[in-house]
Amino acid sequence: MDKIIRRKTRVVKIGNIFIGGNNPIAIQSMAKVKTEYAEKVIRQVRLLEGAGCEIIRVAVKDIKDAKAIKKIKPKIHIPLVADIHFDWRLALESIENGVDKIRLNPGNISKKEQVKDVVKAAKSAKIPIRVGLNSGSIGDDPDQVGAMVKAAGSYLKILEGMGFYNTVISLKGSDILDTVEAYRRMSNICDYPFHLGVTATGFPLHGAVKTSIAIGALLLEGIGDTIRVSLTDEPQQEIKTARYILESLGLRNFGPQIISCPTCGRCEVDLAKIVKDLENKLSDVGVSLPAKASKIAVMGCVVNGPGEARHADLGVAFGKKEGLLFKKGKAVRKVSAHKCADMLVDEIRKLV
């Protein structure tokens, strides 16, 4: 397959992260506790940092939330974004307290003079603004896609009219097809970087699937510069899913890629247990593993197992009760099922 050709965009700086252009597609999440409780937010953000989150957004619902930014910012290591709705003055307060980026929703902050106040403050602080559309906050227009694109375009005219081009755009719907079409249309009329996502995604697994389809479709077309997987779940699961999406498309590398078979009646070992054990062990030691991309095959039968194992950097093909370890295509030694996960982690550490 040809390499994905990314859409040409402006480059925007968010704290110490650059997005757009040829910069890596960044992973975002959102704190799921009230921002006023700064210590709780800090604890959650630090967990997300450890999981691989690169940009974090917090909800700013009132003045207490806005003022808490000043306490949170020095104690985290990734850029902090203030999510503003209804009251533009909270954006001004957030900027005053040192936030790295402002998200404004055209669906509930639409008065030109209010937007201009925020733009003026953002220009002074040299921080970007995300024009963040959600299908649930643009009214009852039957043409949701057209309404989102039109609202974003109108907002851009206000920003550009003030000489402000430090902008990111998102157009998130709860419907996959609407979301994908909105981003496609917007990509034809501007060169600002896009933050991708699907909103209100439902059950966690359903949400991961919906988001993966929508974000994956857009990324395959070269559209997208940051992503957020929105799940009704622990925020660490958002990061894990986002990483899987980017790795699956070859856009980022976060460690070894695991290939394993779904098993069938030919499998004579508990492969599901072995793979789950390997996943848990890799999660525990993830930060200490080599950054180099590597392919690890864990296969349960003699049909496809040896072939997949030979094509991987490391591979185990199981037969009856024990497997054969392959390194760089060569059979090395036999390995028992119950020692397989530990053995693979040790071998992965040796990869250079």
Side-chain angles (χ1 to χ4, degrees):
M1 178 181 170
D2 293 336
K3 185 178 179 181
I4 294 172
I5 299 174
R6 290 179 61 190
R7 167 177 166 262
K8 296 184 185 302
T9 74
R10 300 169 183 266
V11 174
V12 169
K13 183 175 182 288
I14 307 166
N16 60 352
I17 295 283
F18 290 89
I19 66 166
N22 293 318
N23 291 293
I25 295 166
I27 295 174
Q28 297 192 199
S29 187
M30 190 168 185
K32 301 197 178 192
V33 294
K34 186 163 171 35
T35 309
E36 173 188 350
Y37 306 127
E39 290 304 319
K40 290 183 178 180
V41 175
I42 291 164
R43 284 196 295 271
Q44 189 170 81
V45 174
R46 285 178 175 171
L47 286 173
L48 289 168
E49 289 175 347
C53 183
E54 295 165 318
I55 301 171
I56 189 70
R57 181 161 48 112
V58 294
V60 178
K61 186 178 178 182
D62 53 37
I63 194 68
K64 291 180 181 178
D65 288 341
K67 288 185 178 298
I69 288 170
K70 193 170 186 177
K71 300 176 183 177
I72 297 166
K73 183 79 163 57
K75 295 186 178 180
I76 64 174
H77 306 94
I78 56 178
L80 184 62
V81 181
D83 193 56
I84 310 297
H85 298 270
F86 304 109
D87 189 346
W88 86 103
R89 291 167 296 188
L90 294 174
L92 304 180
E93 188 67 33
S94 297
I95 294 170
E96 182 69 24
N97 281 279
V99 80
D100 295 305
K101 177 183 169 189
I102 293 291
R103 181 271 176 100
L104 294 180
N105 186 347
N108 51 50
I109 298 178
S110 57
K111 292 182 179 178
K112 187 177 292 188
E113 291 306 313
Q114 295 176 357
V115 176
K116 285 184 174 181
D117 282 348
V118 180
V119 169
K120 183 177 179 181
K123 283 181 74 172
S124 178
K126 297 180 180 179
I127 65 169
I129 292 173
R130 169 153 71 97
V131 177
L133 276 297
N134 277 5
S135 58
S137 58
I138 59 168
D140 298 323
D141 194 316
D143 179 10
Q144 293 278 288
V145 173
M148 283 198 288
V149 172
K150 182 180 179 181
S154 298
Y155 235 62
L156 289 178
K157 286 181 180 178
I158 298 173
L159 272 57
E160 292 172 348
M162 293 187 68
F164 189 88
Y165 301 91
N166 196 11
T167 306
V168 181
I169 296 173
S170 67
L171 306 102
K172 298 183 183 181
S174 56
D175 180 87
I176 292 176
L177 298 181
D178 283 353
T179 299
V180 171
E181 181 60 21
Y183 280 108
R184 282 175 177 162
R185 289 190 197 178
M186 202 72 209
S187 70
N188 291 323
I189 59 178
C190 74
D191 67 350
Y192 294 107
F194 288 169
H195 168 64
L196 303 186
V198 178
T199 188
T201 57
F203 297 126
L205 180 57
H206 192 191
V209 172
K210 285 177 68 175
T211 303
S212 298
I213 293 170
I215 290 179
L218 290 163
L219 291 175
L220 279 169
E221 296 179 20
I223 297 171
D225 304 283
T226 78
I227 65 173
R228 192 256 173 122
V229 176
S230 298
L231 299 178
T232 311
D233 202 345
E234 293 296 323
Q236 293 94 315
Q237 293 302 314
E238 299 186 353
I239 306 305
K240 183 182 289 189
T241 306
R243 284 184 158 210
Y244 288 159
I245 292 170
L246 294 176
E247 283 189 316
S248 297
L249 295 172
L251 291 166
R252 296 282 301 269
N253 168 52
F254 302 104
Q257 177 188 357
I258 308 301
I259 296 171
S260 61
C261 69
T263 77
C264 67
R266 285 185 290 268
C267 186
E268 297 187 71
V269 296
D270 189 350
L271 196 74
K273 182 179 183 300
I274 293 169
V275 171
K276 188 64 179 177
D277 191 21
L278 178 60
E279 180 185 24
N280 291 336
K281 291 179 185 300
L282 289 176
S283 295
D284 290 341
V285 299
V287 293
S288 63
L289 291 175
K292 182 190 174 204
S294 55
K295 185 183 290 186
I296 315 298
V298 188
M299 305 297 294
C301 85
V302 296
V303 177
N304 296 315
E308 291 287 359
R310 284 193 184 95
H311 293 145
D313 296 290
L314 287 172
V316 177
F318 280 99
K320 188 173 183 179
K321 294 186 180 179
E322 62 183 10
L324 187 60
L325 172 66
F326 291 82
K327 296 175 72 172
K328 302 292 184 181
K330 294 182 180 180
V332 176
R333 65 177 184 272
K334 291 182 179 180
V335 59
S336 64
H338 74 277
K339 293 182 179 179
C340 182
D342 285 322
M343 179 276 299
L344 283 173
V345 171
D346 288 341
E347 292 292 340
I348 291 168
R349 290 182 190 273
K350 300 174 187 176
L351 291 174
V352 293

